[in-house]
Amino acid sequence: MLRQYELVERVKEYAPDADEALLNRAYVYTVQKHGTQKRASGDPYFSHPIEVAGLMTALKLDQETIITALLHDTVEDTLTTTEEIEKLFGPDIARLVDGVTKLSKIEAMTESERAAENLRKFFLAMSEDLRVLLVKLADRLHNMRTLHFIKSEEKRRRIAKETMDIYAPLAERVGMYEYMREMQLLAFEQLEPEAYATITGRLDQIRSTDGGQVDAIALAIKQALSEAGVRVEVSGREKHPYSIWKKMAERHVSFEQITDIMAFRVLADTVEDCYRALGVLHTTWQMIPGRFKDYISTPKSNGYRSLHTSLIYENSMRMEVQVRTHEMHRTNEFGLAAHWAYKQGDRPDGQVGWLRDLIEIVDASHDAEELLEHTRLAIYQDRIFAFTPKGTLFQLPKGATPVDFAFAVHTDLGAKAVGAKINGRHMPLRTQLNNGDVVEIIKSEGAGPELSWLGFVVTGKARAAIRRAVRQKERAEIAVFGRTLFEEICDRLPTKIGKKAVREAVKRLGFDDEDELMAAIAAAKITDVEVMEALVPGSARNIAEPGAWPRQERAVSIKGLTTGAGFRLAQCCHPVPGDRIVGLKKPGQGVEVHAIDCLELANGVDANWIDLSWGERSNGAIGRLRLVLYNRTGTLAEVTGIFAKNHANVTNLQMVQRDGPFGTYEVDLEVEDLAHLTRIVSALRASDAVAEAARI
């Protein structure tokens, strides 16, 4: 543990003007406040914030950050308040400490809710000042170093998983690779102890038997570059155990099949020397195609710059080589922190692009599980690069689609996307992008995000925005449908209903406002009788008597509403516009639309039925057909030709039975209405390829 004078001396070495008295006061304050508290290791608790402060001095951060590190647990774990911190150390330090502090009111939260709320507060504080993130990462790194002292295996694994899912990727996103690698290694040891022991054991074995092979290869690289007149420093090492395990898992191979276990780093003086060194390496040893990446001309979003290549050394041994300047190396290992030598009163700019995306995700996420899911998607690595037609570069996760790209450019562009051109060719929105693709998004002002997009988008920002837009549309449509049902209920009452009666009904039923009442009606959370009684007390008193039920005066139109929002089309009878339809109210689920002759309706009672109509020029629906086809070449092609000629799109086709010379299929078709579906059935029955065709 750093002593008081040692900590102050470290800060004064790189910041001579630092307030020594303030640093001393913060050191003494944290020791006094944590008092006799102990860590799981048995050490005094105050040793932890002091070690975190020591990690911050290694990054040469300003005195505000050092003091924040010293005080970061006082509000959470002692009787100290944020107001007291502000009084003693100033508003800036109080703000930073509050940003790092976890929420205190967590007793009533589930594990995921607690983690999500901590992240929510953490990201919002980060958006104002990224020093909050640096302290939090150092806090987590020191906790991981002492994780083995915790007796509960379940708790160790939970902390390790949170570190692997959230904090290691966050460290990577700000370029702090030293922190990331150590966190991953310590978490890997807890999450996969057997794999960790096996891989580290094999690495130790290689190290003891290779006879200094790593050093010999590093020397050979340096000599080759020196002979070419390039002055460099070269170092070699075995790859990170977690990196090896991840590669084994992704490729489904054994340790023996991993050929590029050795990695070498070449540090040059200038960017020109980096490219000269790369040329020498590629002419001296054979380069492995597809394994070269130029992060100098196209840096990663966290500022990482380096040349990566893989070469074949003697005896067909593969090795990975990274080439960079000394300055790039300092930045790469400690990222944004490497640039921050603050002057008094300066604040870092935390509004980097990926962080703004995280803040959008915080705002858009509906619940704890969504926030955690979207956050993990947003901060994981493995990126590709894609360009707008004007040449603006965007970094996206592997597997990203034009929809992800559109949301990365701007949320409004993603919401209005209807198509995409990739490298000048029209392509589906679900197409996965490749490195270097030029993507042009085609938009329409009347368009909106589709629920089906959630099946292929991969970025947290896109998923959060789509879910938010779909929820807003659903709420709006549910409210519209609920109001239509409400008006129909009012028509059956013996008197005209005014606004005052509606306000009173909302109060009697315990809702906050009219919209909440309409949504409850649409979702069938309350019955027609309850609504009538709330509007006109006594009007539904004799409703249970036979024949006393007020009859529905008019059919309720579902025109313009989206399936799945205001109502659901039943899967048992697949009604289409033109069918006589009724709605079956399912408490808490809403209204399910059935054809009038559907057998499923027998399961409901008359009071749960609503007379419905499609309305004029409805948007169509899915019709299902059962086809029995002759089992001979070309029959399926002939049938799909009939669908195409009748302008019907096939959404699903499945063989359900094969019986000698016949095959039975179920087909789902997008049709305009009943007449459209009837024409298709008639055309099918007239075909020699079809033995039977019927609607189901």
Side-chain angles (χ1 to χ4, degrees):
M1 184 180 73
L2 281 174
R3 296 184 180 181
Q4 186 174 338
Y5 74 90
E6 291 174 329
L7 180 67
V8 174
E9 284 180 358
R10 281 196 186 185
V11 178
K12 298 283 280 184
E13 281 178 9
Y14 63 83
D17 296 332
D19 189 336
E20 187 173 339
L22 194 64
L23 288 165
N24 282 322
R25 191 157 76 245
Y27 189 104
V28 172
Y29 186 84
T30 195
V31 170
Q32 289 177 342
K33 286 296 178 181
H34 288 294
T36 58
Q37 292 176 348
K38 298 285 186 181
R39 287 175 62 78
S41 62
D43 294 331
Y45 191 92
F46 56 74
S47 65
H48 166 66
I50 290 170
E51 289 300 326
V52 173
L55 289 170
M56 295 290 91
T57 63
L59 298 176
K60 295 182 169 54
L61 292 176
D62 64 317
Q63 69 176 26
E64 286 185 346
T65 311
I66 306 302
I67 293 171
T68 299
L70 287 170
L71 304 177
H72 78 270
D73 274 339
T74 53
V75 174
E76 181 183 352
D77 295 327
T78 74
L79 298 177
T80 303
T81 63
T82 305
E83 290 73 23
E84 187 177 346
I85 297 289
E86 182 174 351
K87 182 179 178 181
L88 293 173
F89 300 99
D92 285 343
I93 290 173
R95 175 177 51 81
L96 290 170
V97 171
D98 183 58
V100 182
T101 301
K102 295 175 182 176
L103 294 180
S104 56
K105 298 178 181 178
I106 58 176
E107 291 80 11
M109 295 183 183
T110 64
E111 196 65 53
S112 61
E113 284 175 336
R114 182 161 62 246
E117 286 304 319
N118 285 338
L119 276 176
R120 190 185 302 274
K121 184 176 182 183
F122 178 38
F123 289 147
L124 291 173
M126 250 167 53
S127 69
E128 297 179 4
D129 198 324
L130 267 178
R131 289 175 294 181
V132 169
L133 173 59
L134 299 183
V135 175
K136 186 63 181 175
L137 291 176
D139 170 46
R140 179 51 63 113
L141 178 59
H142 186 256
N143 281 332
M144 289 301 295
R145 288 175 176 176
T146 57
L147 185 62
H148 58 282
F149 288 111
I150 295 176
K151 293 180 180 179
S152 168
E153 180 183 353
E154 183 182 349
K155 186 175 181 181
R156 290 199 308 271
R157 289 181 63 83
R158 176 180 61 77
I159 294 171
K161 189 173 189 314
E162 188 179 67
T163 300
M164 191 71 87
D165 284 349
I166 302 295
Y167 293 102
L170 274 173
E172 188 271 342
R173 289 307 301 269
V174 292
M176 298 180 70
Y177 285 90
E178 282 291 327
Y179 277 37
M180 179 198 76
R181 283 192 288 266
E182 188 174 351
M183 283 183 191
Q184 286 178 338
L185 183 64
L186 294 168
F188 176 46
E189 183 179 6
Q190 296 295 331
L191 296 172
E192 301 287 346
E194 292 184 7
Y196 173 85
T198 300
I199 293 174
T200 52
R202 296 302 299 275
L203 290 175
D204 289 340
Q205 186 180 3
I206 291 171
R207 207 174 293 121
S208 62
T209 59
D210 70 0
Q213 189 178 27
V214 172
D215 293 338
I217 296 173
L219 181 60
I221 292 172
K222 187 170 184 178
Q223 285 177 342
L225 293 173
S226 180
E227 290 171 5
V230 185
R231 190 176 66 178
V232 295
E233 292 180 15
V234 182
S235 60
R237 57 176 175 79
E238 294 90 2
K239 278 197 169 179
H240 194 266
Y242 173 69
S243 174
I244 294 173
W245 180 82
K246 189 177 177 184
K247 189 169 290 187
M248 288 167 61
E250 288 175 350
R251 297 182 184 176
H252 305 288
V253 296
S254 65
F255 183 91
E256 288 75 17
Q257 292 172 290
I258 300 291
T259 53
D260 52 347
I261 288 176
M262 294 184 183
F264 297 87
R265 185 170 293 142
V266 176
L267 301 182
D269 293 330
T270 66
V271 172
E272 290 77 11
D273 285 345
C274 290
Y275 285 102
R276 287 177 60 206
L278 181 72
V280 173
L281 292 172
H282 282 184
T283 53
T284 306
W285 293 283
Q286 182 182 345
M287 172 227 180
I288 300 173
R291 299 298 302 276
F292 169 66
K293 293 177 182 177
D294 186 347
Y295 292 120
I296 291 181
S297 66
T298 311
K300 291 186 179 183
S301 57
N302 56 23
Y304 179 93
R305 302 178 73 202
S306 184
L307 299 173
H308 289 196
T309 189
S310 291
L311 308 171
I312 298 179
Y313 194 66
E314 298 171 2
N315 302 321
S316 300
M317 185 182 70
R318 297 187 177 197
M319 60 181 182
E320 182 182 291
V321 183
Q322 300 171 355
V323 185
R324 62 185 69 156
T325 66
H326 294 276
E327 182 182 353
M328 288 176 195
H329 180 61
R330 284 191 295 273
T331 302
N332 291 349
E333 293 305 287
F334 296 106
L336 296 176
H339 293 294
W340 290 356
Y342 295 111
K343 296 179 181 179
Q344 190 69 26
D346 285 351
R347 285 186 184 177
D349 178 14
Q351 294 291 347
V352 290
W354 66 271
L355 185 52
R356 284 197 295 271
D357 288 349
L358 283 181
I359 302 308
E360 280 194 39
I361 288 169
V362 167
D363 292 338
S365 295
H366 180 60
D367 54 31
E369 292 296 339
E370 266 191 29
L371 176 59
L372 292 173
E373 175 200 347
H374 297 160
T375 300
R376 291 186 184 114
L377 288 171
I379 63 181
Y380 274 139
Q381 39 207 24
D382 295 336
R383 320 294 282 178
I384 64 162
F385 301 93
F387 298 85
T388 67
K390 293 184 178 180
T392 305
L393 173 68
F394 286 90
Q395 296 189 40
L396 297 163
K398 284 183 180 177
T401 65
V403 175
D404 295 294
F405 181 87
F407 278 105
V409 174
H410 198 282
T411 303
D412 287 344
L413 180 63
K416 296 173 182 176
V418 293
K421 287 184 179 180
I422 302 175
N423 302 323
R425 293 180 58 201
H426 282 282
M427 299 295 287
L429 286 175
R430 62 171 58 246
T431 305
Q432 291 192 3
L433 300 177
N434 295 312
N435 252 329
D437 281 346
V438 177
V439 184
E440 179 184 352
I441 301 299
I442 302 166
K443 66 177 183 176
S444 171
E445 291 300 322
E450 301 286 343
L451 185 62
S452 60
W453 291 358
L454 292 175
F456 57 79
V457 296
V458 299
T459 59
K461 181 178 181 181
R463 294 186 77 84
I466 292 165
R467 280 178 170 159
R468 177 172 57 182
V470 169
R471 274 197 300 269
Q472 288 174 344
K473 184 178 180 182
E474 285 182 351
R475 278 197 295 266
E477 292 202 4
I478 287 171
V480 169
F481 189 50
R483 188 166 293 279
T484 304
L485 295 175
F486 174 77
E487 290 171 356
E488 191 280 322
I489 292 170
C490 292
D491 288 345
R492 287 184 271 159
L493 287 168
T495 183
K496 188 176 181 180
I497 303 301
K499 292 183 178 180
K500 182 179 178 182
V502 176
R503 288 195 297 270
E504 291 298 320
V506 168
K507 290 180 183 178
R508 291 189 185 108
L509 292 168
F511 295 114
D512 293 332
D513 52 39
E514 278 189 42
D515 285 343
E516 193 176 347
L517 170 61
M518 302 310 160
I521 293 172
K525 292 181 179 177
I526 54 175
T527 65
D528 293 4
V529 174
E530 289 172 320
V531 177
M532 290 177 177
E533 190 65 25
L535 288 167
V536 183
S539 62
R541 189 168 297 156
N542 300 319
I543 214 74
E545 295 181 8
W549 178 258
R551 296 183 61 184
Q552 187 175 341
E553 297 292 333
R554 58 185 171 83
V556 175
S557 173
I558 58 174
K559 179 187 175 184
L561 299 178
T562 304
T563 304
F567 63 91
R568 297 188 316 282
L569 293 177
Q571 295 299 301
C572 46
C573 54
H574 294 277
V576 298
D579 284 328
R580 174 78 170 82
I581 54 174
V582 294
L584 184 61
K585 286 186 176 181
K586 294 197 170 182
Q589 299 178 39
V591 175
E592 193 171 68
V593 180
H594 293 259
I596 192 67
D597 55 356
C598 178
L599 298 176
E600 186 70 20
L601 291 174
N603 296 329
V605 296
D606 290 349
N608 289 334
W609 286 24
I610 312 170
D611 191 13
L612 298 178
S613 71
W614 292 99
E616 295 180 5
R617 296 182 182 179
S618 295
N619 295 328
I622 302 294
R624 177 167 291 181
L625 302 179
R626 182 184 295 274
L627 306 179
V628 179
L629 308 182
Y630 292 104
N631 187 18
R632 55 178 182 247
T633 304
T635 54
L636 200 56
E638 185 173 339
V639 167
T640 54
I642 292 171
F643 295 149
K645 192 173 181 179
N646 285 275
H647 307 291
N649 187 40
V650 178
T651 60
N652 184 48
L653 187 150
Q654 183 180 10
M655 175 181 272
V656 294
Q657 186 178 343
R658 187 163 186 169
D659 183 16
F662 300 103
T664 303
Y665 295 82
E666 287 187 0
V667 188
D668 289 348
L669 296 172
E670 287 181 348
V671 294
E672 296 172 4
D673 51 28
L674 181 59
H676 187 196
L677 185 60
T678 302
R679 286 198 304 272
I680 294 170
V681 173
S682 298
L684 289 167
R685 288 172 177 169
S687 170
D688 289 338
V690 182
E692 294 179 20
R695 182 182 172 191
I696 56 173

